Amino acid sequence: MSIIRILGLGYAAMFFFVAFMGYIPAFLDDQGNLFGLFTLDMYDNTLHATSGVWALIAALISNKQIILYFKIFGSVYFLDSIIGLYAGNSFLDFGIFIYGMADNSFLLNFFLNVPHVFIGGIAMFFGFYLSRKTWATKAR
């Protein structure tokens, strides 16, 4: 299996973990907030689980499919995170449509969205740059 497909399996595992993290008491405070900052609702969990399923299926099918996943997913997720930095809510989990603009400080928005910036940005790196490297797409 190629490195790019293994990275896709890693993304799938990460998203499955995130989807279930809101049900692990060690990560929740007394009010049920994840890391004391926010709650993950049904839309968030569905988005994370669906992203994981998509990554898993794409990685199992072919290099071409996981590269396409990284390009599309990374671009959309990165855009979503940039909107989240400024609006406090984003569009992929319907937050901006359901709750509107959040009345958060930029610092809070930063901490809520910086993981998404990295997840989307790294996915774009894998899809647009790393996928062009022969060693990343050859099965060993």
Side-chain angles (χ1 to χ4, degrees), residues 29-56:
D29 66 7
D30 294 338
Q31 289 77 38
N33 291 325
L34 200 60
F35 304 116
L37 293 173
F38 55 89
T39 58
L40 292 177
D41 60 18
M42 176 187 68
Y43 300 108
D44 294 313
N45 288 331
T46 301
L47 173 64
H48 292 135
T50 303
S51 298
V53 168
W54 182 16
L56 177 64

Side-chain angles (χ1 to χ4, degrees), residues 22-129:
Y23 303 102
I24 301 172
F27 297 114
L28 303 173
D29 66 7
D30 294 338
Q31 289 77 38
N33 291 325
L34 200 60
F35 304 116
L37 293 173
F38 55 89
T39 58
L40 292 177
D41 60 18
M42 176 187 68
Y43 300 108
D44 294 313
N45 288 331
T46 301
L47 173 64
H48 292 135
T50 303
S51 298
V53 168
W54 182 16
L56 177 64
I57 292 170
L60 293 176
I61 291 175
S62 69
N63 286 340
K64 184 177 178 180
Q65 290 303 310
I66 195 59
I67 291 167
L68 183 63
Y69 165 83
F70 281 134
K71 287 178 178 180
I72 293 171
F73 168 83
S75 298
V76 172
Y77 212 71
F78 186 80
L79 175 64
D80 186 62
S81 67
I82 298 302
I83 290 171
L85 281 172
Y86 295 99
N89 288 309
S90 49
F91 62 87
L92 284 177
D93 64 356
F94 304 111
I96 201 160
F97 305 113
I98 296 169
Y99 309 112
M101 299 277 287
D103 190 25
N104 299 335
S105 68
F106 181 79
L107 188 61
L108 178 58
N109 286 346
F110 175 81
F111 284 115
L112 292 174
N113 287 284
V114 75
H116 299 132
V117 170
F118 284 111
I119 291 167
I122 291 169
M124 287 191 312
F125 173 78
F126 291 163
F128 290 107
Y129 178 75

